[in-house]
């Protein structure tokens, strides 16, 4: 009787070692990110709009916030409701920066957990300008965009199976800012376009579920519109006119995208063209165009330099989804 040595799977220990190394790198990146935020918070001198949001959340009752003050702010209530808890408990003003940083850390942690995205992107994106500073140390509602969109990313190709979780995320996204409302609307339209050809396969219960979800989204829009209806004495009411001319709209979007990437010029043009070809191959080009296009109308009347970050984070959402759809290829390359 011939004895043979048991076979040893060499690949499995190696895979575990690589996984441990990747985990260590991700945790190191998270620790470095938290350290950067601590230094930034200590050195940061707040802008007036940070202080204004904190004071409104502290001094206004919830009913006054919803019925009076947000009409002048032009922002949905989610950020103010978050700030109201520590502000009304008497915490010091610096708490606004700690809260913003905590939300950012949650978003970055969710991002680092996306194993279908190359590790190099997961560890570099947190240190980009908007994620590391403009939407984090500078405490504005836009800090909520990253964690919400990463959660949307997890559900995007399984929206039908997790419809109510998806609706909840869209409601939260719409309450970040008017830009978030535009993105939520675009996501809703894209879902409807994807679901319409499959409508004959829906059971009666599923049809009812979709109608109820649509009703929730519409009620959310109507309630937000009621809260944010412009006051008659609003100082900038004369400037609230949408410019639907295509050239200015496209100019706003192009400037925002290129400025948030490599700056206006030939390099950004080449990068965008190459990525659009890749987006097309990964079936996310229409998503990119619709999401970016949804930001243009509101940007035509309400756009500052920091709003470029909304375009940047939206752009990165599409990049992450493209990698997610290429996950089998990434795993085959040993860089999941």
């Amino acid at each position: 009787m011939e004895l043979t040595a048991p076979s040893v799977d060499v690949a499995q220990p190696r895979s575990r070692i690589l996984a441990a190394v990747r985990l260590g790198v991700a945790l190191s990146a998270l620790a470095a990110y938290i350290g950067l935020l601590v230094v930034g918070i200590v050195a940061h001198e707040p802008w007036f709009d940070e202080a204004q949001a904190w004071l409104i959340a502290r001094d206004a009752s919830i009913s006054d916030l919803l019925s009076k003050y947000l009409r002048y702010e032009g922002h949905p209530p989610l950020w103010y409701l978050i700030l109201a808890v520590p502000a009304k408990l008497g915490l010091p003003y610096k708490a606004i920066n700690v809260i913003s940083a905590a939300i950012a850390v949650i978003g970055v942690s969710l991002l680092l957990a996306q194993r279908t995205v190359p590790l190099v992107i997961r560890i570099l994106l947190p240190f980009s300008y908007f994620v590391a500073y403009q939407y984090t140390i500078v405490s504005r509602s836009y800090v909520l965009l990253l964690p919400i969109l990463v959660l949307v990313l997890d559900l995007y190709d399984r929206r039908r199976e997790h419809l109510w979780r998806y609706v909840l995320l869209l409601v939260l996204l719409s309450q970040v800012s008017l830009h978030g409302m535009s993105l939520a609307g675009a996501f809703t339209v894209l879902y409807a376009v994807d679901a319409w050809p499959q409508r004959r396969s829906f059971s009666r219960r599923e049809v009812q579920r979709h109608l109820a979800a649509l009703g929730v989204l519409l009620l959310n829009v109507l309630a937000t519109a009621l809260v944010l209806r412009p006051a008659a004495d609003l100082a900038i009411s004369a400037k609230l006119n949408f410019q639907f001319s295509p050239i200015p709209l496209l100019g706003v979007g192009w400037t925002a995208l290129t400025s948030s990437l490599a700056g206006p010029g030939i390099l950004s043009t080449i990068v965008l063209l190459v990525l659009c070809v890749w987006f097309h191959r990964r079936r996310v080009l229409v998503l990119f165009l619709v999401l970016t296009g949804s930001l243009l109308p509101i940007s035509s009347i309400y756009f500052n330099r920091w709003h470029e970050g909304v375009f940047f984070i939206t752009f990165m959402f599409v990049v992450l989804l493209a990698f997610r759809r290429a996950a089998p290829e990434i795993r085959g390359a040993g860089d999941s």
Side-chain angles (χ1 to χ4, degrees), residues 292-323:
T292 303
S294 73
L295 297 172
L296 298 182
I298 187 62
S299 296
S300 72
I301 62 167
Y302 182 51
F303 187 81
N304 285 298
R305 295 288 295 183
W306 57 81
H307 293 133
E308 293 171 1
V310 182
F311 285 83
F312 174 73
I313 292 178
T314 301
F315 174 79
M316 289 309 303
F317 170 84
V318 180
V319 171
L320 296 176
L321 181 60
F323 276 116

PDB file of all heavy atoms in Angstrom, residues 292-323:
ATOM      1  N   THR A 292     -24.840  63.749 -12.427  1.00  0.00           N
ATOM      2  CA  THR A 292     -24.177  65.043 -12.612  1.00  0.00           C
ATOM      3  C   THR A 292     -25.151  66.067 -13.171  1.00  0.00           C
ATOM      4  O   THR A 292     -25.186  67.215 -12.727  1.00  0.00           O
ATOM      5  CB  THR A 292     -22.968  64.890 -13.552  1.00  0.00           C
ATOM      6  OG1 THR A 292     -22.081  63.907 -13.020  1.00  0.00           O
ATOM      7  CG2 THR A 292     -22.223  66.204 -13.693  1.00  0.00           C
ATOM      8  N   GLY A 293     -25.955  65.645 -14.138  1.00  0.00           N
ATOM      9  CA  GLY A 293     -26.936  66.571 -14.719  1.00  0.00           C
ATOM     10  C   GLY A 293     -27.954  67.052 -13.714  1.00  0.00           C
ATOM     11  O   GLY A 293     -28.414  68.201 -13.785  1.00  0.00           O
ATOM     12  N   SER A 294     -28.306  66.200 -12.746  1.00  0.00           N
ATOM     13  CA  SER A 294     -29.296  66.609 -11.750  1.00  0.00           C
ATOM     14  C   SER A 294     -28.795  67.747 -10.868  1.00  0.00           C
ATOM     15  O   SER A 294     -29.596  68.481 -10.269  1.00  0.00           O
ATOM     16  CB  SER A 294     -29.681  65.409 -10.876  1.00  0.00           C
ATOM     17  OG  SER A 294     -28.640  65.068  -9.967  1.00  0.00           O
ATOM     18  N   LEU A 295     -27.468  67.887 -10.761  1.00  0.00           N
ATOM     19  CA  LEU A 295     -26.890  68.937  -9.921  1.00  0.00           C
ATOM     20  C   LEU A 295     -26.842  70.290 -10.622  1.00  0.00           C
ATOM     21  O   LEU A 295     -26.629  71.321  -9.961  1.00  0.00           O
ATOM     22  CB  LEU A 295     -25.469  68.541  -9.499  1.00  0.00           C
ATOM     23  CG  LEU A 295     -25.332  67.290  -8.637  1.00  0.00           C
ATOM     24  CD1 LEU A 295     -23.867  66.917  -8.477  1.00  0.00           C
ATOM     25  CD2 LEU A 295     -25.983  67.499  -7.275  1.00  0.00           C
ATOM     26  N   LEU A 296     -27.021  70.307 -11.930  1.00  0.00           N
ATOM     27  CA  LEU A 296     -26.796  71.545 -12.680  1.00  0.00           C
ATOM     28  C   LEU A 296     -27.857  72.626 -12.428  1.00  0.00           C
ATOM     29  O   LEU A 296     -27.496  73.793 -12.246  1.00  0.00           O
ATOM     30  CB  LEU A 296     -26.706  71.235 -14.178  1.00  0.00           C
ATOM     31  CG  LEU A 296     -25.541  70.319 -14.583  1.00  0.00           C
ATOM     32  CD1 LEU A 296     -25.522  70.132 -16.094  1.00  0.00           C
ATOM     33  CD2 LEU A 296     -24.222  70.883 -14.094  1.00  0.00           C
ATOM     34  N   PRO A 297     -29.169  72.306 -12.413  1.00  0.00           N
ATOM     35  CA  PRO A 297     -30.141  73.387 -12.196  1.00  0.00           C
ATOM     36  C   PRO A 297     -29.945  74.136 -10.885  1.00  0.00           C
ATOM     37  O   PRO A 297     -29.934  75.366 -10.870  1.00  0.00           O
ATOM     38  CB  PRO A 297     -31.496  72.652 -12.235  1.00  0.00           C
ATOM     39  CG  PRO A 297     -31.240  71.460 -13.085  1.00  0.00           C
ATOM     40  CD  PRO A 297     -29.840  71.031 -12.750  1.00  0.00           C
ATOM     41  N   ILE A 298     -29.788  73.395  -9.774  1.00  0.00           N
ATOM     42  CA  ILE A 298     -29.604  74.095  -8.500  1.00  0.00           C
ATOM     43  C   ILE A 298     -28.263  74.816  -8.475  1.00  0.00           C
ATOM     44  O   ILE A 298     -28.136  75.900  -7.889  1.00  0.00           O
ATOM     45  CB  ILE A 298     -29.729  73.096  -7.321  1.00  0.00           C
ATOM     46  CG1 ILE A 298     -29.701  73.824  -5.985  1.00  0.00           C
ATOM     47  CG2 ILE A 298     -28.640  72.048  -7.367  1.00  0.00           C
ATOM     48  CD1 ILE A 298     -30.838  74.781  -5.781  1.00  0.00           C
ATOM     49  N   SER A 299     -27.260  74.268  -9.142  1.00  0.00           N
ATOM     50  CA  SER A 299     -25.950  74.913  -9.171  1.00  0.00           C
ATOM     51  C   SER A 299     -25.962  76.192  -9.989  1.00  0.00           C
ATOM     52  O   SER A 299     -25.095  77.054  -9.818  1.00  0.00           O
ATOM     53  CB  SER A 299     -24.899  73.952  -9.738  1.00  0.00           C
ATOM     54  OG  SER A 299     -24.743  72.826  -8.906  1.00  0.00           O
ATOM     55  N   SER A 300     -26.943  76.319 -10.883  1.00  0.00           N
ATOM     56  CA  SER A 300     -27.010  77.537 -11.692  1.00  0.00           C
ATOM     57  C   SER A 300     -27.424  78.748 -10.866  1.00  0.00           C
ATOM     58  O   SER A 300     -27.163  79.888 -11.258  1.00  0.00           O
ATOM     59  CB  SER A 300     -28.001  77.341 -12.846  1.00  0.00           C
ATOM     60  OG  SER A 300     -29.341  77.318 -12.369  1.00  0.00           O
ATOM     61  N   ILE A 301     -28.054  78.518  -9.699  1.00  0.00           N
ATOM     62  CA  ILE A 301     -28.461  79.661  -8.865  1.00  0.00           C
ATOM     63  C   ILE A 301     -27.796  79.652  -7.496  1.00  0.00           C
ATOM     64  O   ILE A 301     -27.818  80.646  -6.784  1.00  0.00           O
ATOM     65  CB  ILE A 301     -29.993  79.694  -8.659  1.00  0.00           C
ATOM     66  CG1 ILE A 301     -30.466  78.434  -7.923  1.00  0.00           C
ATOM     67  CG2 ILE A 301     -30.721  79.874  -9.979  1.00  0.00           C
ATOM     68  CD1 ILE A 301     -31.887  78.536  -7.423  1.00  0.00           C
ATOM     69  N   TYR A 302     -27.194  78.516  -7.125  1.00  0.00           N
ATOM     70  CA  TYR A 302     -26.611  78.419  -5.781  1.00  0.00           C
ATOM     71  C   TYR A 302     -25.332  77.613  -5.882  1.00  0.00           C
ATOM     72  O   TYR A 302     -25.335  76.392  -5.780  1.00  0.00           O
ATOM     73  CB  TYR A 302     -27.604  77.745  -4.832  1.00  0.00           C
ATOM     74  CG  TYR A 302     -27.127  77.637  -3.401  1.00  0.00           C
ATOM     75  CD1 TYR A 302     -26.639  78.750  -2.711  1.00  0.00           C
ATOM     76  CD2 TYR A 302     -27.164  76.413  -2.728  1.00  0.00           C
ATOM     77  CE1 TYR A 302     -26.193  78.640  -1.402  1.00  0.00           C
ATOM     78  CE2 TYR A 302     -26.738  76.303  -1.418  1.00  0.00           C
ATOM     79  CZ  TYR A 302     -26.252  77.420  -0.764  1.00  0.00           C
ATOM     80  OH  TYR A 302     -25.811  77.315   0.533  1.00  0.00           O
ATOM     81  N   PHE A 303     -24.223  78.301  -6.114  1.00  0.00           N
ATOM     82  CA  PHE A 303     -22.958  77.609  -6.329  1.00  0.00           C
ATOM     83  C   PHE A 303     -21.812  78.434  -5.779  1.00  0.00           C
ATOM     84  O   PHE A 303     -21.640  79.611  -6.131  1.00  0.00           O
ATOM     85  CB  PHE A 303     -22.751  77.351  -7.826  1.00  0.00           C
ATOM     86  CG  PHE A 303     -21.545  76.485  -8.111  1.00  0.00           C
ATOM     87  CD1 PHE A 303     -21.624  75.112  -7.985  1.00  0.00           C
ATOM     88  CD2 PHE A 303     -20.342  77.053  -8.498  1.00  0.00           C
ATOM     89  CE1 PHE A 303     -20.518  74.315  -8.232  1.00  0.00           C
ATOM     90  CE2 PHE A 303     -19.240  76.265  -8.754  1.00  0.00           C
ATOM     91  CZ  PHE A 303     -19.330  74.885  -8.631  1.00  0.00           C
ATOM     92  N   ASN A 304     -21.053  77.808  -4.873  1.00  0.00           N
ATOM     93  CA  ASN A 304     -19.810  78.382  -4.375  1.00  0.00           C
ATOM     94  C   ASN A 304     -18.703  77.361  -4.558  1.00  0.00           C
ATOM     95  O   ASN A 304     -18.953  76.210  -4.926  1.00  0.00           O
ATOM     96  CB  ASN A 304     -19.942  78.771  -2.896  1.00  0.00           C
ATOM     97  CG  ASN A 304     -20.762  80.032  -2.712  1.00  0.00           C
ATOM     98  OD1 ASN A 304     -20.401  81.096  -3.191  1.00  0.00           O
ATOM     99  ND2 ASN A 304     -21.900  79.902  -2.036  1.00  0.00           N
ATOM    100  N   ARG A 305     -17.491  77.767  -4.263  1.00  0.00           N
ATOM    101  CA  ARG A 305     -16.351  76.891  -4.495  1.00  0.00           C
ATOM    102  C   ARG A 305     -16.495  75.555  -3.762  1.00  0.00           C
ATOM    103  O   ARG A 305     -16.090  74.515  -4.264  1.00  0.00           O
ATOM    104  CB  ARG A 305     -15.056  77.588  -4.041  1.00  0.00           C
ATOM    105  CG  ARG A 305     -14.705  78.837  -4.838  1.00  0.00           C
ATOM    106  CD  ARG A 305     -14.230  78.514  -6.224  1.00  0.00           C
ATOM    107  NE  ARG A 305     -12.973  77.780  -6.245  1.00  0.00           N
ATOM    108  CZ  ARG A 305     -12.351  77.436  -7.364  1.00  0.00           C
ATOM    109  NH1 ARG A 305     -12.879  77.726  -8.532  1.00  0.00           N
ATOM    110  NH2 ARG A 305     -11.207  76.771  -7.309  1.00  0.00           N
ATOM    111  N   TRP A 306     -17.074  75.598  -2.555  1.00  0.00           N
ATOM    112  CA  TRP A 306     -17.179  74.342  -1.804  1.00  0.00           C
ATOM    113  C   TRP A 306     -18.203  73.377  -2.405  1.00  0.00           C
ATOM    114  O   TRP A 306     -18.189  72.190  -2.092  1.00  0.00           O
ATOM    115  CB  TRP A 306     -17.498  74.614  -0.338  1.00  0.00           C
ATOM    116  CG  TRP A 306     -18.737  75.401  -0.069  1.00  0.00           C
ATOM    117  CD1 TRP A 306     -20.017  74.938  -0.036  1.00  0.00           C
ATOM    118  CD2 TRP A 306     -18.818  76.803   0.214  1.00  0.00           C
ATOM    119  NE1 TRP A 306     -20.900  75.946   0.249  1.00  0.00           N
ATOM    120  CE2 TRP A 306     -20.175  77.117   0.419  1.00  0.00           C
ATOM    121  CE3 TRP A 306     -17.869  77.821   0.328  1.00  0.00           C
ATOM    122  CZ2 TRP A 306     -20.615  78.411   0.710  1.00  0.00           C
ATOM    123  CZ3 TRP A 306     -18.302  79.103   0.624  1.00  0.00           C
ATOM    124  CH2 TRP A 306     -19.666  79.384   0.814  1.00  0.00           C
ATOM    125  N   HIS A 307     -19.082  73.868  -3.285  1.00  0.00           N
ATOM    126  CA  HIS A 307     -20.047  72.971  -3.910  1.00  0.00           C
ATOM    127  C   HIS A 307     -19.399  72.081  -4.966  1.00  0.00           C
ATOM    128  O   HIS A 307     -20.030  71.108  -5.417  1.00  0.00           O
ATOM    129  CB  HIS A 307     -21.188  73.777  -4.530  1.00  0.00           C
ATOM    130  CG  HIS A 307     -22.038  74.466  -3.513  1.00  0.00           C
ATOM    131  ND1 HIS A 307     -22.403  75.783  -3.616  1.00  0.00           N
ATOM    132  CD2 HIS A 307     -22.563  74.019  -2.341  1.00  0.00           C
ATOM    133  CE1 HIS A 307     -23.136  76.128  -2.559  1.00  0.00           C
ATOM    134  NE2 HIS A 307     -23.232  75.067  -1.775  1.00  0.00           N
ATOM    135  N   GLU A 308     -18.170  72.395  -5.361  1.00  0.00           N
ATOM    136  CA  GLU A 308     -17.459  71.494  -6.263  1.00  0.00           C
ATOM    137  C   GLU A 308     -17.344  70.103  -5.643  1.00  0.00           C
ATOM    138  O   GLU A 308     -17.290  69.098  -6.348  1.00  0.00           O
ATOM    139  CB  GLU A 308     -16.062  72.041  -6.566  1.00  0.00           C
ATOM    140  CG  GLU A 308     -16.077  73.331  -7.370  1.00  0.00           C
ATOM    141  CD  GLU A 308     -14.698  73.965  -7.470  1.00  0.00           C
ATOM    142  OE1 GLU A 308     -13.738  73.370  -6.923  1.00  0.00           O
ATOM    143  OE2 GLU A 308     -14.569  75.038  -8.085  1.00  0.00           O
ATOM    144  N   GLY A 309     -17.297  70.049  -4.309  1.00  0.00           N
ATOM    145  CA  GLY A 309     -17.173  68.770  -3.619  1.00  0.00           C
ATOM    146  C   GLY A 309     -18.365  67.861  -3.841  1.00  0.00           C
ATOM    147  O   GLY A 309     -18.221  66.630  -3.802  1.00  0.00           O
ATOM    148  N   VAL A 310     -19.557  68.432  -4.051  1.00  0.00           N
ATOM    149  CA  VAL A 310     -20.730  67.600  -4.331  1.00  0.00           C
ATOM    150  C   VAL A 310     -20.526  66.868  -5.649  1.00  0.00           C
ATOM    151  O   VAL A 310     -20.822  65.672  -5.776  1.00  0.00           O
ATOM    152  CB  VAL A 310     -22.008  68.454  -4.368  1.00  0.00           C
ATOM    153  CG1 VAL A 310     -23.231  67.565  -4.623  1.00  0.00           C
ATOM    154  CG2 VAL A 310     -22.185  69.234  -3.080  1.00  0.00           C
ATOM    155  N   PHE A 311     -20.003  67.588  -6.644  1.00  0.00           N
ATOM    156  CA  PHE A 311     -19.703  66.958  -7.925  1.00  0.00           C
ATOM    157  C   PHE A 311     -18.614  65.897  -7.753  1.00  0.00           C
ATOM    158  O   PHE A 311     -18.688  64.812  -8.344  1.00  0.00           O
ATOM    159  CB  PHE A 311     -19.251  68.015  -8.933  1.00  0.00           C
ATOM    160  CG  PHE A 311     -20.363  68.855  -9.469  1.00  0.00           C
ATOM    161  CD1 PHE A 311     -20.828  69.962  -8.767  1.00  0.00           C
ATOM    162  CD2 PHE A 311     -20.961  68.565 -10.686  1.00  0.00           C
ATOM    163  CE1 PHE A 311     -21.852  70.751  -9.263  1.00  0.00           C
ATOM    164  CE2 PHE A 311     -21.990  69.339 -11.196  1.00  0.00           C
ATOM    165  CZ  PHE A 311     -22.443  70.434 -10.480  1.00  0.00           C
ATOM    166  N   PHE A 312     -17.599  66.213  -6.961  1.00  0.00           N
ATOM    167  CA  PHE A 312     -16.488  65.274  -6.762  1.00  0.00           C
ATOM    168  C   PHE A 312     -16.954  63.989  -6.083  1.00  0.00           C
ATOM    169  O   PHE A 312     -16.625  62.885  -6.531  1.00  0.00           O
ATOM    170  CB  PHE A 312     -15.396  65.943  -5.920  1.00  0.00           C
ATOM    171  CG  PHE A 312     -14.274  65.017  -5.540  1.00  0.00           C
ATOM    172  CD1 PHE A 312     -13.348  64.618  -6.487  1.00  0.00           C
ATOM    173  CD2 PHE A 312     -14.156  64.541  -4.241  1.00  0.00           C
ATOM    174  CE1 PHE A 312     -12.306  63.753  -6.139  1.00  0.00           C
ATOM    175  CE2 PHE A 312     -13.126  63.685  -3.887  1.00  0.00           C
ATOM    176  CZ  PHE A 312     -12.201  63.296  -4.841  1.00  0.00           C
ATOM    177  N   ILE A 313     -17.736  64.111  -5.011  1.00  0.00           N
ATOM    178  CA  ILE A 313     -18.191  62.917  -4.294  1.00  0.00           C
ATOM    179  C   ILE A 313     -19.164  62.117  -5.151  1.00  0.00           C
ATOM    180  O   ILE A 313     -19.154  60.880  -5.136  1.00  0.00           O
ATOM    181  CB  ILE A 313     -18.810  63.319  -2.940  1.00  0.00           C
ATOM    182  CG1 ILE A 313     -17.719  63.870  -2.023  1.00  0.00           C
ATOM    183  CG2 ILE A 313     -19.511  62.135  -2.282  1.00  0.00           C
ATOM    184  CD1 ILE A 313     -18.204  64.347  -0.682  1.00  0.00           C
ATOM    185  N   THR A 314     -20.009  62.806  -5.934  1.00  0.00           N
ATOM    186  CA  THR A 314     -20.893  62.108  -6.872  1.00  0.00           C
ATOM    187  C   THR A 314     -20.077  61.347  -7.908  1.00  0.00           C
ATOM    188  O   THR A 314     -20.373  60.184  -8.236  1.00  0.00           O
ATOM    189  CB  THR A 314     -21.821  63.112  -7.564  1.00  0.00           C
ATOM    190  OG1 THR A 314     -22.601  63.800  -6.575  1.00  0.00           O
ATOM    191  CG2 THR A 314     -22.751  62.421  -8.542  1.00  0.00           C
ATOM    192  N   PHE A 315     -19.059  62.003  -8.433  1.00  0.00           N
ATOM    193  CA  PHE A 315     -18.158  61.371  -9.406  1.00  0.00           C
ATOM    194  C   PHE A 315     -17.501  60.131  -8.794  1.00  0.00           C
ATOM    195  O   PHE A 315     -17.434  59.063  -9.414  1.00  0.00           O
ATOM    196  CB  PHE A 315     -17.112  62.386  -9.840  1.00  0.00           C
ATOM    197  CG  PHE A 315     -16.043  61.832 -10.731  1.00  0.00           C
ATOM    198  CD1 PHE A 315     -16.276  61.626 -12.078  1.00  0.00           C
ATOM    199  CD2 PHE A 315     -14.790  61.516 -10.217  1.00  0.00           C
ATOM    200  CE1 PHE A 315     -15.284  61.105 -12.906  1.00  0.00           C
ATOM    201  CE2 PHE A 315     -13.800  61.007 -11.034  1.00  0.00           C
ATOM    202  CZ  PHE A 315     -14.042  60.798 -12.380  1.00  0.00           C
ATOM    203  N   MET A 316     -17.037  60.245  -7.542  1.00  0.00           N
ATOM    204  CA  MET A 316     -16.375  59.114  -6.899  1.00  0.00           C
ATOM    205  C   MET A 316     -17.364  57.986  -6.617  1.00  0.00           C
ATOM    206  O   MET A 316     -16.987  56.809  -6.633  1.00  0.00           O
ATOM    207  CB  MET A 316     -15.697  59.561  -5.606  1.00  0.00           C
ATOM    208  CG  MET A 316     -14.471  60.435  -5.821  1.00  0.00           C
ATOM    209  SD  MET A 316     -13.262  59.741  -6.998  1.00  0.00           S
ATOM    210  CE  MET A 316     -12.898  58.148  -6.249  1.00  0.00           C
ATOM    211  N   PHE A 317     -18.629  58.313  -6.353  1.00  0.00           N
ATOM    212  CA  PHE A 317     -19.644  57.276  -6.187  1.00  0.00           C
ATOM    213  C   PHE A 317     -19.726  56.417  -7.446  1.00  0.00           C
ATOM    214  O   PHE A 317     -19.782  55.179  -7.368  1.00  0.00           O
ATOM    215  CB  PHE A 317     -21.004  57.907  -5.894  1.00  0.00           C
ATOM    216  CG  PHE A 317     -22.153  56.928  -5.953  1.00  0.00           C
ATOM    217  CD1 PHE A 317     -22.474  56.151  -4.859  1.00  0.00           C
ATOM    218  CD2 PHE A 317     -22.900  56.791  -7.112  1.00  0.00           C
ATOM    219  CE1 PHE A 317     -23.521  55.227  -4.916  1.00  0.00           C
ATOM    220  CE2 PHE A 317     -23.943  55.875  -7.183  1.00  0.00           C
ATOM    221  CZ  PHE A 317     -24.254  55.098  -6.079  1.00  0.00           C
ATOM    222  N   VAL A 318     -19.718  57.058  -8.602  1.00  0.00           N
ATOM    223  CA  VAL A 318     -19.790  56.317  -9.864  1.00  0.00           C
ATOM    224  C   VAL A 318     -18.532  55.476 -10.061  1.00  0.00           C
ATOM    225  O   VAL A 318     -18.596  54.324 -10.513  1.00  0.00           O
ATOM    226  CB  VAL A 318     -20.004  57.289 -11.042  1.00  0.00           C
ATOM    227  CG1 VAL A 318     -20.080  56.519 -12.361  1.00  0.00           C
ATOM    228  CG2 VAL A 318     -21.267  58.118 -10.843  1.00  0.00           C
ATOM    229  N   VAL A 319     -17.371  56.034  -9.726  1.00  0.00           N
ATOM    230  CA  VAL A 319     -16.118  55.272  -9.820  1.00  0.00           C
ATOM    231  C   VAL A 319     -16.173  54.033  -8.936  1.00  0.00           C
ATOM    232  O   VAL A 319     -15.815  52.921  -9.352  1.00  0.00           O
ATOM    233  CB  VAL A 319     -14.915  56.165  -9.434  1.00  0.00           C
ATOM    234  CG1 VAL A 319     -13.641  55.328  -9.308  1.00  0.00           C
ATOM    235  CG2 VAL A 319     -14.718  57.278 -10.462  1.00  0.00           C
ATOM    236  N   LEU A 320     -16.636  54.197  -7.706  1.00  0.00           N
ATOM    237  CA  LEU A 320     -16.716  53.068  -6.780  1.00  0.00           C
ATOM    238  C   LEU A 320     -17.686  52.007  -7.285  1.00  0.00           C
ATOM    239  O   LEU A 320     -17.421  50.801  -7.171  1.00  0.00           O
ATOM    240  CB  LEU A 320     -17.144  53.555  -5.394  1.00  0.00           C
ATOM    241  CG  LEU A 320     -16.176  54.508  -4.679  1.00  0.00           C
ATOM    242  CD1 LEU A 320     -16.782  54.972  -3.352  1.00  0.00           C
ATOM    243  CD2 LEU A 320     -14.826  53.862  -4.446  1.00  0.00           C
ATOM    244  N   LEU A 321     -18.811  52.440  -7.857  1.00  0.00           N
ATOM    245  CA  LEU A 321     -19.770  51.474  -8.390  1.00  0.00           C
ATOM    246  C   LEU A 321     -19.183  50.739  -9.590  1.00  0.00           C
ATOM    247  O   LEU A 321     -19.405  49.531  -9.760  1.00  0.00           O
ATOM    248  CB  LEU A 321     -21.071  52.180  -8.783  1.00  0.00           C
ATOM    249  CG  LEU A 321     -22.180  51.266  -9.330  1.00  0.00           C
ATOM    250  CD1 LEU A 321     -22.585  50.218  -8.298  1.00  0.00           C
ATOM    251  CD2 LEU A 321     -23.391  52.091  -9.768  1.00  0.00           C
ATOM    252  N   ALA A 322     -18.421  51.455 -10.411  1.00  0.00           N
ATOM    253  CA  ALA A 322     -17.775  50.808 -11.555  1.00  0.00           C
ATOM    254  C   ALA A 322     -16.810  49.724 -11.084  1.00  0.00           C
ATOM    255  O   ALA A 322     -16.766  48.626 -11.660  1.00  0.00           O
ATOM    256  CB  ALA A 322     -17.046  51.850 -12.398  1.00  0.00           C
ATOM    257  N   PHE A 323     -16.034  50.009 -10.060  1.00  0.00           N
ATOM    258  CA  PHE A 323     -15.139  48.991  -9.508  1.00  0.00           C
ATOM    259  C   PHE A 323     -15.932  47.844  -8.891  1.00  0.00           C
ATOM    260  O   PHE A 323     -15.536  46.675  -8.990  1.00  0.00           O
ATOM    261  CB  PHE A 323     -14.210  49.607  -8.459  1.00  0.00           C
ATOM    262  CG  PHE A 323     -12.985  50.249  -9.043  1.00  0.00           C
ATOM    263  CD1 PHE A 323     -12.771  51.610  -8.912  1.00  0.00           C
ATOM    264  CD2 PHE A 323     -12.046  49.488  -9.726  1.00  0.00           C
ATOM    265  CE1 PHE A 323     -11.645  52.206  -9.454  1.00  0.00           C
ATOM    266  CE2 PHE A 323     -10.915  50.073 -10.265  1.00  0.00           C
ATOM    267  CZ  PHE A 323     -10.707  51.431 -10.136  1.00  0.00           C
TER     268      PHE A 323
END
